């Protein structure tokens, strides 16, 4: 349902934290909490200006379904059990984090869109990552602190440094390229594998 809050920018106005299926966190809705008493569906989550969305799981396993996720801020888990985050169409990650201070076992991200997903050094995902049908690029630190699963015939590129977290890349149908000093600590299962440029 819609939820209106008092704006946090000091203007004395109200702001639609959730409006017509879109949840927005910005300077007018800072450090907001979404309580997940049940599984939740939203059309869009839009986090900007490096603001924070807290998701209170109340110690349970909950699923959050969203058509589009724009991440330029933080998603923190409060009272975690496990968050299963399903992104249907678009996952745009500019910077920020999901479950940065938690454990990778507390979150699973499932991306079903077809646009390439890029995870750069200014993005920290402490979770497993499941990619159904899109190319995947991890660059400049590849901030995924969990296992990565890619299911279709996609291209995977790892470049830049690594966070030294041991992980599994399970991508049996994909073309995997490790380059530019990209470092991986763990196991890779891929259709083809190329190492170039000091990977």
């Amino acid at each position: 349902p819609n939820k209106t809050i008092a704006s946090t920018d000091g203007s004395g106005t109200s702001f639609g934290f959730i409006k017509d299926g879109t949840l927005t966190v910005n300077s007018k809705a800072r450090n907001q909490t979404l309580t997940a008493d049940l599984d939740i569906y939203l059309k869009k989550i839009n986090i900007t200006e490096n603001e924070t969305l807290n998701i209170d799981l109340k110690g349970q396993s909950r699923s959050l379904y969203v058509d589009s996720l724009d991440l330029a801020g933080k998603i923190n888990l409060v009272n975690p059990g496990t968050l299963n985050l399903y992104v249907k169409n678009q996952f745009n990650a500019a910077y920020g984090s999901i479950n940065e201070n938690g454990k990778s076992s507390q979150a699973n991200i499932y991306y079903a869109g077809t646009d390439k997903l890029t995870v750069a050094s200014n993005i920290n995902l402490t979770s497993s990552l499941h990619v159904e049908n899109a190319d995947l690029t991890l660059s400049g630190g590849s901030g995924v602190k969990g296992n990565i699963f890619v299911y279709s015939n996609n291209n995977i590129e790892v470049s830049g440094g690594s966070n030294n977290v041991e992980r599994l890349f399970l991508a049996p149908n994909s073309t995997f390229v490790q380059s530019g000093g990209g470092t991986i600590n763990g196991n890779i299962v891929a259709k083809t594998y190329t190492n170039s440029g000091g990977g």
Side-chain angles (χ1 to χ4, degrees):
N2 290 341
K3 181 178 180 180
T4 301
I5 63 169
S7 177
T8 59
D9 64 357
S11 64
T13 60
S14 60
F15 181 77
F17 169 50
I18 301 175
K19 184 176 181 181
D20 299 330
T22 297
L23 182 154
T24 302
V25 179
N26 57 23
S27 61
K28 295 183 178 181
R30 291 182 172 138
N31 200 33
Q32 295 300 304
T33 297
L34 177 67
T35 300
D37 293 315
L38 299 168
D39 296 341
I40 297 172
Y41 164 71
L42 291 162
K43 293 178 182 177
K44 185 174 183 178
I45 294 176
N46 186 26
I47 303 174
T48 64
E49 303 173 59
N50 205 25
E51 298 296 344
T52 299
L53 171 66
N54 302 301
I55 300 178
D56 189 348
L57 296 173
K58 296 187 175 294
Q60 302 297 312
S61 177
R62 297 295 184 209
S63 294
L64 174 57
Y65 301 88
V66 60
D67 291 339
S68 176
L69 173 61
D70 289 342
L71 181 67
K74 300 177 181 179
I75 296 177
N76 291 333
L77 302 185
V78 180
N79 299 320
T82 303
L83 174 67
N84 297 303
L85 175 60
Y86 297 88
V87 182
K88 182 179 179 182
N89 295 323
Q90 292 183 318
F91 187 175
N92 302 310
Y95 55 87
S97 63
I98 297 176
N99 191 35
E100 181 174 13
N101 297 316
K103 300 176 181 178
S104 60
S105 59
Q106 295 169 339
N108 303 296
I109 300 173
Y110 300 86
Y111 174 53
T114 56
D115 291 341
K116 182 171 78 170
L117 178 60
T118 300
V119 181
S121 60
N122 50 357
I123 301 165
N124 189 323
L125 307 178
T126 305
S127 68
S128 67
L129 177 62
H130 300 254
V131 179
E132 182 180 22
N133 192 27
D135 292 343
L136 174 65
T137 296
L138 304 177
S139 65
S142 61
V144 181
K145 296 180 180 177
N147 296 325
I148 299 174
F149 306 86
V150 180
Y151 296 98
S152 295
N153 183 12
N154 303 109
N155 297 310
I156 300 171
E157 182 177 357
V158 177
S159 61
S162 171
N163 52 34
N164 294 321
V165 173
E166 185 169 343
R167 67 163 67 98
L168 166 67
F169 275 93
L170 184 59
N173 301 308
S174 293
T175 299
F176 198 110
V177 177
Q178 185 178 355
S179 64
T183 301
I184 295 171
N185 180 24
N187 300 285
I188 300 170
V189 179
K191 184 177 181 179
T192 64
Y193 171 81
T194 302
N195 188 318
S196 65

